[in-house]
Amino acid sequence: WTNLAIIYDDTPTGMCIYEQADGDPAVYIGTVRGPYVVDFAAGKAYKLQIRFSDAHADNGRGIASWNGDLIFGKGGNARRYTVLGRDAQVTDMGPNKEDGLPGRLMGRVVALETSMEHFLLAAIDAGDQKSTILKWTSSAWHPLVEADTANEPIRCLAFSTLTSVPRLYFGQGNSIWHIPLYDITSNPVQ
């Protein structure tokens, strides 16, 4: 094994490959205090200019690339890191922004499913309440799955097209579940 880089003051919570502004892919690391990028040539991990005020164990979980942006969880929200040329911007995607969510859907973003083109999914661990999976459709969050039992966290999910009907698999408590899910857009007005 090769030790690539050491992060002395933060605990890694997730990793992904994300394309940098120069077009080269790089390893990005989510940590309890904010995201880092690995410089292979120097053998170092550098903090992005994003620092979290707390060091919760779920911060940075689910860090992933989706539709050209870096997405990561921070508390009850997903954040989007966008690089445009030499400038970078972080925006709060919610779901706890503006009017937020009903109390029964509140919790921490602990996993993201980014392999679909039209949807971003977030697993929300609601602690002793009913956990959920929320679906982002580029303008709003919508409940997709609500746990059938309180105090059974949903902390992982995966989309698959290996079966004739595409499925979303997720872990709830100590069980694995799946629902049919198509990666298509829909027009509810038609």
Side-chain angles (χ1 to χ4, degrees):
W1 297 349
T2 302
N3 184 351
L4 179 62
I6 296 175
I7 300 174
Y8 291 98
D9 59 346
D10 293 335
T11 303
T13 55
M15 295 177 147
C16 75
I17 306 298
Y18 176 64
E19 192 173 290
Q20 301 184 102
D22 63 7
D24 290 334
V27 174
Y28 281 73
I29 303 167
T31 76
V32 297
R33 290 225 177 252
Y36 285 70
V37 61
V38 175
D39 180 342
F40 289 102
K44 295 182 179 181
Y46 296 102
K47 294 177 187 177
L48 298 183
Q49 296 294 318
I50 305 164
R51 296 301 290 163
F52 301 155
S53 59
D54 67 329
H56 194 280
D58 287 333
N59 287 347
R61 291 209 182 271
I63 190 168
S65 176
W66 183 68
N67 286 354
D69 296 327
L70 186 68
I71 312 292
F72 54 91
K74 166 58 177 99
N77 289 312
R79 294 192 177 169
R80 172 184 280 158
Y81 176 78
T82 305
V83 177
L84 302 169
R86 297 183 54 85
D87 296 324
Q89 177 181 356
V90 177
T91 53
D92 192 352
M93 297 175 65
N96 289 336
K97 66 180 209 173
E98 296 171 1
D99 290 335
L101 294 168
R104 66 180 176 76
L105 300 178
M106 300 287 284
R108 299 187 70 83
V109 174
V110 294
L112 296 167
E113 169 52 65
T114 61
S115 65
M116 293 175 284
E117 181 180 355
H118 301 292
F119 305 127
L120 169 67
L121 302 177
I124 309 295
D125 182 349
D128 61 357
Q129 303 297 311
K130 290 185 177 182
S131 293
T132 58
I133 297 173
L134 300 178
K135 175 176 70 171
W136 172 256
T137 59
S138 295
S139 61
W141 290 95
H142 305 277
L144 180 66
V145 172
E146 187 171 339
D148 62 337
T149 310
N151 206 25
E152 284 193 354
I154 296 175
R155 296 188 60 87
C156 58
L157 56 157
F159 176 72
S160 171
T161 58
L162 295 176
T163 55
S164 60
V165 174
R167 293 179 177 175
L168 174 68
Y169 295 89
F170 60 95
Q172 176 189 321
N174 62 358
S175 299
I176 304 300
W177 299 74
H178 71 82
I179 62 168
L181 184 64
Y182 292 91
D183 183 21
I184 57 173
T185 58
S186 61
N187 185 349
V189 179
Q190 292 181 342

